[in-house]
Amino acid sequence: MSTPYQITFMPLDERPCNYEFPYLLAQGTDFTVKRPPMEMMGLKKRPGDVEQLWTWFEESCAGADGAVVALDTLLYGGIIPSRLHELELDELSARLARLRGIKQRYPQLTLYAFQLIMRCPQYSLSDEEPDYYADWGREIFRKGFIGHRLELGIATDEEIRELADIDNRLPAAVLEDYLGRRAVNIEANKQVLALVEEGIIEFMIVPQDDSAPYGHTAKDQEKVRSTITALDLELDVYMYPGADEVGCILLARMMNKAREQMPLIYPRLSAVQGAYVTPLFEDRFFYETLKYQILAAGGLIASSAAEADLILLVNTPGETMMEAVSQQHPFHSYDVYRNLMELVEYGDYMLHCKSKPVAVADVGYANGGDQKLVKMLRSKEMLFELAGYAGWNTSSNSLGTVISQAMIFLLYGSTQEHLDFLALRYAEDVCYCSVVRGELSNGPVQEMGYGKYLLDGPRGEVASRVEERLRQELAVRIDSSAGSVEITDCYMPWNRMFEVGLSVRFKPSRELR
């Protein structure tokens, strides 16, 4: 085994995708990931204890070789609090200055960081935004979207009339609060870039959560991109769609760098036009983000399968991406403009005839895995032979997760921990996100007296119902002659239906090879 390597990890928030996934991926390796105690973390809109988190972080860095840091947690207390705070820039600057002190005390520390540009959702819902977003969210987005297009001289007459109507209705105080917070956050982004220029932060990602080609977030991207260019940081700071997968990506990058590896990944797409689809909640062609994700994790795209260390099967839509809940009635393009059969047969051939590691990025649908693809992978007995699989939430969330897992697989092979993480992905991405979540949200949860955004607690009656249904779906969709998936814990982290918290274990039917 290689020399042990200790990583201090500061999660983006307390949800499993941020708090658990990177930690789980490091299990069974000689990289030890230390994370802050859960009681220091926040709870959705309630920020984490920033002072305690800083104290823990400073102490943890004393014996660490590297650190992966979500700066939104150290600045605001988490991703949601970054959209709700009333902090002044001076206070944020003082917090950032502590990074400089840490690097001076521990010059051996390799520091990777990420910091979001504040998102601007297209809908009126306050679940993860300020309360007024329930009434004015759509208008705030459209004002930024149309205003941006107006500046570029491409707004239509209809859009200009819509903007005038919004200006008549949108309360000035609401817009002032929203834009004021954005202005503070973007200045904090720029100050972090100065720390990269100083060498305090060695590498950084500026992910864009829930983005669009025009609007407030697109304009803020331009400001950050201009600063990156002015400071000559293009090779040290990447900016692309994503958020909750970045902790995994930076963990994989740190592992690859520490082990002096640069894996070559050969992507094989299910649709010839898949590279040119702009995924839901993102702002650019899929293939551009794919290149960023592989590069950010410490790898490169291979020019051929022969030279590749890993084959990445990519299930893309052939034209327009739909939500996973629409799988029973998808656009005709899902059957006509892509070829899942060829993708699976190719993967089976590379895996079993060419002995190449194969992973699957299941991004055909947003917010859940493709049931048809997983059915075929199961029939080929590939599910637990893969180097990685992901199909949850946004395209970028899935890409970052599977690329990270696959790169760690290249270093450590098929450990029990690797199989457990595969099992977790199938339980969550396929069985929950694509089947159980929609089924229970649309009727049964209401019949039980609750709503999909307000349940009966993290471990209430709804969580029990979710676990029961997941066991049933795992039995028919995932369990096979290779083994079965056992659920050891099930809860609803944010007391809503959107995400589930799971602990699972893969029980092989035969001894691991």
Side-chain angles (χ1 to χ4, degrees), residues 206-442:
V206 182
Q208 182 52 68
D209 175 31
D210 203 349
S211 52
Y214 306 102
H216 296 301
T217 51
K219 290 182 69 174
D220 281 350
Q221 277 190 42
E222 292 176 358
K223 296 171 187 174
V224 172
R225 196 172 284 113
S226 295
T227 305
I228 290 170
T229 301
L231 297 177
D232 300 326
L233 297 176
E234 290 90 346
L235 295 175
D236 303 309
V237 181
Y238 297 166
M239 181 162 51
Y240 57 86
D244 295 325
E245 82 291 343
V246 180
C248 297
I249 281 286
L250 290 178
L251 171 69
R253 183 184 184 89
M254 193 163 280
M255 287 183 167
N256 279 325
K257 295 288 184 181
R259 297 296 173 247
E260 299 181 345
Q261 299 295 311
M262 183 173 277
L264 297 179
I265 313 298
Y266 182 72
R268 178 80 165 208
L269 275 58
S270 61
V272 71
Q273 293 181 168
Y276 307 105
V277 171
T278 297
L280 288 175
F281 318 114
E282 299 189 6
D283 63 355
R284 65 195 72 185
F285 290 152
F286 168 79
Y287 206 82
E288 299 307 325
T289 302
L290 174 64
K291 288 189 286 187
Y292 264 122
Q293 292 274 11
I294 291 172
L295 192 62
L300 289 171
I301 286 186
S303 57
S304 70
E307 72 170 1
D309 299 302
L310 173 82
I311 307 298
L312 182 64
L313 305 181
V314 188
N315 173 27
T316 64
E319 192 176 40
T320 304
M321 179 181 284
M322 298 177 71
E323 293 270 7
V325 291
S326 65
Q327 290 192 48
Q328 301 308 314
H329 306 284
F331 293 149
H332 81 287
S333 61
Y334 272 84
D335 288 322
V336 177
Y337 292 170
R338 65 173 188 165
N339 191 328
L340 283 184
M341 286 59 74
E342 193 275 344
L343 189 75
V344 172
E345 293 289 1
Y346 180 82
D348 180 51
Y349 174 77
M350 296 306 291
L351 181 64
H352 294 126
C353 298
K354 294 296 185 181
S355 300
K356 286 273 188 182
V358 172
V360 174
D362 190 358
V363 296
Y365 296 94
N367 287 318
D370 189 327
Q371 297 167 29
K372 191 179 293 185
L373 171 65
V374 171
K375 179 177 68 173
M376 287 189 273
L377 292 171
R378 182 173 181 249
S379 71
K380 286 286 189 180
E381 300 186 348
M382 291 173 63
L383 287 179
F384 289 97
E385 295 186 340
L386 294 176
Y389 170 91
W392 65 284
N393 213 358
T394 70
S395 173
S396 278
N397 291 154
S398 295
L399 278 180
T401 305
V402 67
I403 288 167
S404 302
Q405 184 188 12
M407 287 186 173
I408 294 169
F409 175 90
L410 292 179
L411 292 171
Y412 295 97
S414 186
T415 62
Q416 178 65 50
E417 292 81 3
H418 167 77
L419 293 169
D420 290 345
F421 196 79
L422 273 177
L424 179 62
R425 301 273 46 80
Y426 299 136
E428 182 176 350
D429 305 1
V430 183
C431 296
Y432 183 74
C433 292
S434 291
V435 183
V436 174
R437 177 172 61 192
E439 172 195 300
L440 294 184
S441 295
N442 299 323

Side-chain angles (χ1 to χ4, degrees), residues 485-506:
V485 179
E486 176 187 14
I487 299 174
T488 57
D489 193 20
C490 177
Y491 63 101
M492 315 309 286
W494 276 4
N495 196 33
R496 65 180 189 180
M497 289 299 291
F498 189 73
E499 60 274 292
V500 67
L502 291 171
S503 294
V504 306
R505 183 168 179 81
F506 177 67

Side-chain angles (χ1 to χ4, degrees), residues 71-264:
L71 290 174
D72 292 290
T73 299
L74 287 178
L75 288 178
Y76 312 108
I79 183 174
I80 307 301
S82 74
R83 307 167 191 161
L84 308 172
H85 70 87
E86 296 182 359
L87 298 164
E88 299 291 338
L89 185 59
D90 288 349
E91 190 170 357
L92 298 176
S93 301
R95 289 175 178 176
L96 283 175
R98 297 173 76 163
L99 283 178
R100 190 177 287 107
I102 290 171
K103 186 68 173 179
Q104 288 170 350
R105 286 196 300 279
Y106 313 117
Q108 85 289 349
L109 188 74
T110 298
L111 181 58
Y112 293 167
F114 62 108
Q115 182 187 30
L116 275 71
I117 293 175
M118 196 171 107
R119 76 175 192 172
C120 183
Q122 304 182 24
Y123 44 81
S124 292
L125 181 68
S126 62
D127 186 52
E128 298 183 14
E129 314 298 327
D131 290 344
Y132 54 70
Y133 222 85
D135 300 313
W136 299 106
R138 177 68 176 169
E139 286 78 3
I140 290 171
F141 170 79
R142 290 297 291 172
K143 179 172 175 60
F145 186 91
I146 298 170
H148 190 185
R149 287 173 59 82
L150 195 60
E151 291 174 19
L152 297 171
I154 58 174
T156 65
D157 291 342
E158 184 179 350
E159 286 175 332
I160 293 170
R161 287 192 294 272
E162 181 185 348
L163 182 59
D165 175 62
I166 290 171
D167 287 339
N168 285 331
R169 295 186 295 109
L170 182 59
V174 165
L175 190 62
E176 182 181 353
D177 176 80
Y178 184 78
L179 294 182
R181 187 173 299 108
R182 291 198 74 93
V184 169
N185 287 16
I186 207 69
E187 289 304 316
N189 284 107
K190 292 177 182 177
Q191 291 191 9
V192 172
L193 294 176
L195 293 175
V196 181
E197 184 190 29
E198 281 184 53
I200 308 299
I201 297 170
E202 185 172 310
F203 179 75
M204 183 178 177
I205 296 174
V206 182
Q208 182 52 68
D209 175 31
D210 203 349
S211 52
Y214 306 102
H216 296 301
T217 51
K219 290 182 69 174
D220 281 350
Q221 277 190 42
E222 292 176 358
K223 296 171 187 174
V224 172
R225 196 172 284 113
S226 295
T227 305
I228 290 170
T229 301
L231 297 177
D232 300 326
L233 297 176
E234 290 90 346
L235 295 175
D236 303 309
V237 181
Y238 297 166
M239 181 162 51
Y240 57 86
D244 295 325
E245 82 291 343
V246 180
C248 297
I249 281 286
L250 290 178
L251 171 69
R253 183 184 184 89
M254 193 163 280
M255 287 183 167
N256 279 325
K257 295 288 184 181
R259 297 296 173 247
E260 299 181 345
Q261 299 295 311
M262 183 173 277
L264 297 179

